[in-house]
Amino acid sequence: MFAFLHRNQVPLSSFCCLLLSLYILAAAARGQIRDEPLSAFLMWVMRPLQIASQGTANWLKGFQENYDTLAGFKSENEKLRKRIQALEIERQKLLEAAATNRQLKELLDFRGSLSGTPVIASIIANSASNWFQSCVLDKGSSDGIRKGMGVVTPLGVVGQVVSVTARTAKVLLLTDPNSGIDVLVQRTRSRGIVSGSLETGTILKYVKRSEDIQEGDRLITSGTDGVFPKGMIVGTVIKVRKQHLGLFQFVEVLPAVQSARVEEVLVVAGDSDGTKN
Amino acid sequence: MFPMRLFLLFFLVGIFLLLLQSTLFHLLPIGPVVPDLILVLCVYLGLYHPSVGAALGSFLLGYSIDIVSSPILGLNAFAMSLVFLSVYLSSRAIWIQNPIVTSLVVLLAALVKGAALVLVWAIFLSVEGFWIGAARYIIMEALVAAVLAPMVFALLRRGQDYVERLRAPAQ
């Protein structure tokens, strides 16, 4: 017996890991895992690294955009080009500072228009997996962020907080297939659920065939889910298709906020209890 | 058994890859897919370090992805553990010496991971119609991982050689 266990220790331990994963999954799916210590520790370790790495990524992004603008010029005068490049990098830094200031001012103005006390946070990491559309914020429960709160910008809805540690929060983006936001069509007041989809991007679900939906219609939060305040822009309808069969029509949506371009966000509680999922 | 220095090497590499996948890799111009180098690391562990420590390491790598990215804990932990087990079992039948076979093994491991994710997702999350677009992601992710695998394997082997050289005088 012992010899068998010793001989097969690797597959057996691997199999135990599989079983443990399934156990964790089942417990997480039932919502039984809260305040898991390993998550808090890893996020504590990762937070400063992610902030530094994301800072580098933002700098590289700015540098790349900057470089693209320079690429149009001919490189006959190398010295002059290098001079321009150096100046552009300097200018980029100043523009970046100005843009950050502008964004923060807009966020502060927007914050004033919301009820409650919204929290301003920065995105410090994106999803490490291709299967999930998520990001990590640099604020957590110690800053007043709770699971279930909405995440927005002045342009519209970004997503929803799905887990928090003391100093970080994980946000499930609007474009994730697991997300679901209760919305109204602004023109007709028809209701539906906006969700992500791996196949077609963001879609509006459960809209009856008889409902009048047109391309260009704006979608706003209904405020009934307790996550987002009523009237925030979620996106715009870009394609409507009615199948020959079926109760519902297919509606494709362009999100109001392109999450890849967002750096600062506001975390808000809905009109009712914000912890409601 | 896993020597302490090697364990530390793979732990640091895992953290580094997780950091890259969650930040800098999003700048790469390869569409919506982020290279899954943690998967490549799990395959490497399954091929060259078949031990209890490596099995646990694969589980922890998946669990780390869950902590940083997944809406539900355990999804990637399951997938990476399955990848390790599959590679470990298949490594008894194949002998990997050249980059093409390495890529092929990583390609198959990525397909196993994708299938595991879809299966577990369907059971525990039951997102309506999720699997329709999943095939595209599975294939793209597998191709990107397979292309990068020989380079990552070479770097890991170099790191491992370096750590073992450090250890040799001490012994």
Side-chain angles (χ1 to χ4, degrees):
Chain A
M1 179 67 181
F2 184 75
F4 172 80
L5 288 177
H6 187 72
R7 200 169 54 246
N8 295 295
Q9 58 179 335
V10 177
L12 285 175
S13 59
S14 198
F15 190 68
C16 287
C17 286
L18 282 174
L19 291 180
L20 180 63
S21 317
L22 288 175
Y23 174 76
I24 293 170
L25 258 170
R30 286 197 300 265
Q32 290 173 340
I33 296 183
R34 289 200 183 87
D35 300 330
E36 195 263 318
L38 192 58
S39 300
F41 174 74
L42 186 73
M43 293 307 263
W44 178 77
V45 171
M46 293 290 285
R47 186 179 183 270
L49 298 173
Q50 285 177 327
I51 288 173
S53 189
Q54 191 64 31
T56 311
N58 288 340
W59 185 85
L60 282 173
K61 208 192 300 178
F63 184 80
Q64 187 187 6
E65 285 167 8
N66 201 21
Y67 189 80
D68 288 344
T69 60
L70 282 174
F73 296 109
K74 290 186 176 178
S75 56
E76 290 170 2
N77 190 329
E78 191 64 24
K79 193 177 172 184
L80 188 60
R81 200 174 71 87
K82 280 182 180 170
R83 176 86 177 127
I84 292 170
Q85 202 171 350
L87 285 171
E88 278 294 327
I89 291 168
E90 194 64 31
R91 178 176 162 270
Q92 182 62 33
K93 282 182 188 167
L94 293 171
L95 284 174
E96 186 62 27
T100 307
N101 276 342
R102 197 171 56 243
Q103 280 173 13
L104 288 172
K105 189 175 180 310
E106 281 172 11
L107 274 178
L108 282 171
D109 291 345
F110 180 57
R111 185 187 182 186
S113 68
L114 294 169
S115 59
T117 51
V119 181
I120 296 178
S122 296
I123 293 176
I124 57 170
N126 297 300
S127 176
S129 167
N130 298 313
W131 298 79
F132 312 109
Q133 301 286 319
S134 63
C135 64
V136 178
L137 306 181
D138 68 341
K139 300 275 171 65
S141 55
S142 58
D143 302 288
I145 295 179
R146 284 172 289 120
K147 183 182 172 188
M149 288 176 89
V151 179
V152 299
T153 72
L155 295 175
V157 171
V158 175
Q160 188 179 356
V161 176
V162 288
S163 69
V164 285
T165 66
R167 299 190 65 195
T168 60
K170 185 161 63 185
V171 178
L172 190 67
L173 298 178
L174 160 73
T175 47
D176 189 280
N178 292 294
S179 72
I181 295 174
D182 197 18
V183 297
L184 291 173
V185 178
Q186 197 169 37
R187 184 174 57 84
T188 63
R189 315 314 278 180
S190 308
R191 287 184 68 170
I193 302 286
V194 168
S195 170
S197 148
L198 287 179
E199 189 195 16
T200 50
T202 312
I203 53 173
L204 176 63
K205 299 199 285 195
Y206 311 124
V207 182
K208 287 181 188 167
R209 284 170 62 85
S210 56
E211 298 283 3
D212 172 26
I213 307 274
Q214 293 172 11
E215 286 174 18
D217 274 348
R218 277 153 57 105
L219 306 176
I220 57 170
T221 51
S222 68
T224 55
D225 54 8
V227 176
F228 297 99
K230 186 175 180 178
M232 302 214 60
I233 298 170
V234 175
T236 310
V237 174
I238 52 171
K239 192 191 276 182
V240 181
R241 197 171 70 227
K242 290 186 181 174
Q243 315 277 13
H244 291 299
L245 296 168
L247 283 173
F248 306 116
Q249 48 188 312
F250 172 84
V251 183
E252 203 173 321
V253 176
L254 178 70
V257 179
Q258 302 299 314
S259 53
R261 294 181 184 174
V262 177
E263 288 166 23
E264 271 89 29
V265 294
L266 276 178
V267 186
V268 296
D271 289 334
S272 57
D273 183 14
T275 55
K276 193 177 160 186
N277 251 325
Chain B
M1 198 59 197
F2 229 45
M4 195 59 198
R5 286 191 182 188
L6 271 185
F7 180 82
L8 198 65
L9 170 76
F10 290 125
F11 174 76
L12 290 177
V13 169
I15 292 281
F16 180 65
L17 293 180
L18 186 62
L19 193 65
L20 284 183
Q21 281 183 213
S22 65
T23 54
L24 288 167
F25 279 1
H26 285 263
L27 294 179
L28 296 177
I30 49 172
V33 172
V34 176
D36 192 352
L37 299 190
I38 292 178
L39 169 88
V40 181
L41 179 58
C42 286
V43 173
Y44 184 86
L45 290 174
L47 286 174
Y48 299 113
H49 296 279
S51 63
V52 176
L56 193 64
S58 298
F59 169 80
L60 287 174
L61 284 169
Y63 196 68
S64 304
I65 299 179
D66 285 328
I67 289 172
V68 174
S69 304
S70 165
I72 185 166
L73 291 175
L75 267 178
N76 284 287
F78 177 81
M80 291 304 181
S81 297
L82 191 65
V83 163
F84 177 85
L85 184 61
S86 314
V87 172
Y88 168 76
L89 294 175
S90 60
S91 69
R92 295 171 166 194
I94 51 175
W95 181 249
I96 294 177
Q97 278 294 9
N98 67 62
I100 296 172
V101 184
T102 302
S103 292
L104 201 64
V105 171
V106 170
L107 184 86
L108 292 174
L111 294 178
V112 167
K113 182 204 156 194
L117 275 177
V118 170
L119 182 73
V120 175
W121 197 311
I123 294 170
F124 288 95
L125 293 174
S126 59
V127 177
E128 188 188 322
F130 163 75
W131 53 272
I132 298 170
R136 186 169 62 108
Y137 269 79
I138 291 174
I139 292 166
M140 284 171 73
E141 191 175 271
L143 287 175
V144 172
V147 167
L148 295 174
M151 187 188 69
V152 178
F153 269 44
L155 288 173
L156 286 170
R157 216 170 280 141
R158 278 193 172 203
Q160 193 181 323
D161 288 346
Y162 179 72
V163 168
E164 279 166 355
R165 268 204 307 277
L166 282 180
R167 202 166 46 137
Q171 285 175 342

